[in-house]
Amino acid sequence: MELIQNLGLGFAVALSLQNLGLCLLGCLVGTLIGVLPGVGPIATIAMLLPITFGLDPAGALIMLAGIYYGAQYGGSTTAILVNIPGEATAVVTTLDGHAMARRGRAGIALGIAAIGSFFAGTVATLIIAALGRPLTELAMLFRPAEYFSLMLMGLVLAVVLASGSVIRAIAMVMVGVLLSCVGTDIETGEARMTLGWFSIADGIDFSVLAMGIFGIAEILRNLEVTEARDVVRARIGRLLPGREELGQSAKPIMRGTVLGAILGLLPGNGAVLGPFASYAVEKRLAKDPSRFGKGAIEGVAGPESANNAGAQTSFIPMLTLGIPPNAVMALMVGAMTIFGIVPGPQVITAHPQLFWGMIASMWLGNLMLLLINLPLVGVWVRLLKVPYRLMYPTILVFCSVGIYSINSQITDVLFIGFFGYVGYVLVKVGFEPAPLLLGFVLGSLMEENLRRALVLSRGDPSVFVTSPISAVLLFISAGVLVLALLPSVRRERDEVFAEAD
């Protein structure tokens, strides 16, 4: 009964004219950046953070969330029609989706991808609604020591599930934590690690760092890539699958939804691994595995369901525990702190309109995506022919104006250029920037809880192991890290991410 009342509150918030418009805008922008590979939801959300400051928190987060899961829909369109994944999660869709398109079944592939995504999104929304209150009540039992250990475990899992070297991922997390310490000491008020530079006396602005290492760096990376788009010229055909196609896709959609929903909870690349896991399962269960890679509809239905389910269940740890499981959720946490909302279990009690409004908007957003994407396929095909060299100058100007509008400081514009170059170099030398952003977001929260725990225990560090919950979380963190460093596990892990790349 309480859940129904809470959902009623959520729909009352999400169905307001302004929030409906923001949800639609987020879904359209998300689909657009998914269709046009080269920017991605992380860079787009980082770029759009400045324009959300004039909105109310619920509306801003509804729009940003729409961009994230909208990109999953758009990524499948370009994967099927152009054989280029607009999003990392759409890599698997290219294998059979583009093969279907070449056989004149592009419409069926697009239709089943949209239906699977809608079903998965609906189920994931119900999971979030069902788990929100129990997880929040569990998290309310946490004290500072338990919170510190929980955040440490989140960073360790993010390191293990990040692509590339574990050591390099640890280094990125450490750099992020150090950057979060720049500015004013939270206890003494003394400036630290500022090198006497007044511009960073209040710390490094989250939106500046995010826009630089993701937005500007992404533009620099794509400028060096020669464009090659093999747009399918065959007729797209009917979009609604028939009874036979639906029968072939029903079980893969359900299996993909379950796999994606579970993996989406994991920090790091959990949501990204969902489509790969789904594809592997469907190929293993198929009576004729040789069909895969040649246009098997199950190879589209399962992975597309998994990627949308994973994208939405990744909101659960962010909304209930304040722990971002990936870089996009780190941006969402950053947006919440900008609005003065402390991420964590208190969100559901202190800001119920925000919490339940976001959940209701996810279902509405998935419905919008289903209704607007299929009729607009022709528009997306035309947009795929727009050269990137015409888009990037506009994006750079938009970024500069947006970041300057926050604090009206020219140094912020210079900083996004600096961090953009740093992010570009990091990727070139094999470092993934996502763990850096997670470390930056959680660093200040970890420091705050570490100090509180030590104050409450009168400086006794054993409080982190004498508390049962904290001790279990630390044990899990240590065990996972040791396992990840074992040679055999490292080899298997590298093979998985090699396939994902």
Side-chain angles (χ1 to χ4, degrees):
M1 189 66 182
E2 183 185 4
L3 178 60
I4 295 174
Q5 291 175 343
N6 288 328
L7 287 175
L9 170 64
F11 277 106
V13 174
L15 288 171
S16 71
L17 192 60
Q18 178 181 347
N19 289 340
L20 268 177
L22 290 170
C23 184
L24 178 61
L25 177 62
C27 291
L28 284 171
V29 172
T31 303
L32 177 62
I33 60 104
V35 166
L36 296 173
V39 182
I42 301 175
T44 304
I45 291 173
M47 294 172 192
L48 291 178
L49 275 178
I51 71 169
T52 63
F53 296 165
L55 304 172
D56 67 275
L61 291 172
I62 284 172
M63 184 184 75
L64 295 178
I67 292 172
Y68 180 41
Y69 51 78
Q72 316 304 315
Y73 275 76
S76 65
T77 301
T78 187
I80 291 167
L81 296 179
V82 193
N83 203 29
I84 297 176
E87 247 293 283
T89 51
V91 171
V92 184
T93 308
T94 61
L95 301 176
D96 286 279
H98 192 63
M100 288 181 68
R102 285 193 169 280
R103 292 183 173 188
R105 303 180 70 202
I108 298 298
L110 291 168
I112 209 67
I115 292 170
S117 295
F118 175 73
F119 176 81
T122 301
V123 172
T125 302
L126 293 174
I127 292 172
I128 297 171
L131 293 182
R133 177 68 69 179
L135 283 176
T136 299
E137 291 176 355
L138 174 65
M140 293 295 282
L141 302 175
F142 282 31
R143 294 169 297 177
E146 288 82 2
Y147 255 114
F148 173 81
S149 300
L150 178 66
M151 292 175 186
L152 182 63
M153 185 182 74
L155 288 180
V156 168
L157 290 173
V159 163
V160 173
L161 290 174
S163 60
S165 164
V166 173
I167 303 300
R168 290 182 178 184
I170 292 173
M172 285 291 92
V173 167
M174 297 289 287
V175 170
V177 171
L178 286 173
L179 288 176
S180 73
C181 296
V182 174
T184 305
D185 187 281
I186 59 176
E187 296 289 338
T188 65
E190 291 289 327
R192 61 184 184 184
M193 299 172 64
T194 61
L195 304 176
W197 200 350
F198 179 75
S199 298
I200 54 175
D202 291 330
I204 297 171
D205 193 285
F206 170 79
S207 53
V208 170
L209 178 67
M211 187 181 291
I213 66 171
F214 286 110
I216 305 300
E218 191 72 21
I219 292 171
L220 293 175
R221 284 194 292 273
N222 283 287
L223 282 174
E224 66 179 16
V225 177
T226 303
E227 294 180 56
R229 305 187 200 178
D230 179 24
V231 181
V232 168
R233 303 189 185 279
R235 189 168 168 271
I236 290 176
R238 62 186 174 94
L239 294 170
L240 292 178
R243 182 175 296 179
E244 183 182 350
E245 287 100 356
L246 287 173
Q248 290 177 310
S249 305
K251 289 182 179 179
I253 286 173
M254 288 187 278
R255 286 191 289 260
T257 299
V258 173
L259 271 173
I262 294 171
L263 290 172
L265 296 169
L266 301 177
N269 273 342
V272 176
L273 294 177
F276 293 91
S278 173
Y279 192 82
V281 168
E282 295 309 320
K283 192 171 182 179
R284 185 178 293 269
L285 293 177
K287 293 179 180 178
D288 181 14
S290 64
R291 293 172 47 245
F292 283 76
K294 300 176 183 177
I297 196 169
E298 301 94 324
V300 175
E304 278 302 307
S305 304
N307 90 36
N308 206 268
Q312 294 196 212
T313 55
S314 62
F315 282 85
I316 293 176
M318 189 274 286
L319 287 173
T320 59
L321 304 174
I323 306 297
N326 54 45
V328 174
M329 292 303 108
L331 290 168
M332 300 289 282
V333 168
M336 291 172 72
T337 55
I338 288 170
F339 286 110
I341 299 170
V342 180
Q346 65 273 24
V347 170
I348 195 171
T349 52
H351 306 279
Q353 294 89 348
L354 171 67
F355 183 90
W356 295 106
M358 276 193 69
I359 290 175
S361 75
M362 289 178 190
W363 187 82
L364 292 173
N366 276 283
L367 182 60
M368 288 178 183
L369 286 165
L370 182 65
L371 296 177
I372 66 179
N373 268 290
L374 296 181
L376 292 179
V377 166
V379 176
W380 304 138
V381 171
R382 292 187 185 92
L383 283 173
L384 285 167
K385 299 176 182 177
V386 177
Y388 284 152
R389 66 178 182 275
L390 301 180
M391 297 168 53
Y392 289 140
T394 307
I395 295 173
L396 283 172
V397 170
F398 177 81
C399 288
S400 301
V401 171
I403 209 68
Y404 181 79
S405 67
I406 299 175
N407 299 315
S408 301
Q409 292 185 2
I410 192 65
T411 51
D412 287 349
V413 180
L414 297 176
F415 267 130
I416 64 168
F418 170 74
F419 284 124
Y421 181 71
V422 169
Y424 171 76
V425 172
L426 285 174
V427 172
K428 294 292 284 185
V429 297
F431 287 86
E432 187 182 354
L436 185 151
L437 190 65
L438 290 170
F440 182 81
V441 169
L442 292 180
S444 57
L445 296 172
M446 289 178 69
E447 180 189 6
E448 184 179 346
N449 283 287
L450 174 65
R451 290 192 172 192
R452 283 182 180 175
L454 291 175
V455 167
L456 292 173
S457 66
R458 299 179 181 237
D460 182 7
S462 66
V463 66
F464 296 102
V465 291
T466 54
S467 163
I469 297 177
S470 176
V472 169
L473 293 172
L474 290 176
F475 177 77
I476 293 172
S477 302
V480 168
L481 195 56
V482 169
L483 282 174
L485 292 172
L486 291 175
S488 58
V489 176
R490 287 174 65 181
R491 280 195 300 271
E492 291 181 9
R493 176 182 172 277
D494 292 341
E495 286 174 8
V496 170
F497 283 111
E499 291 177 10
D501 292 337

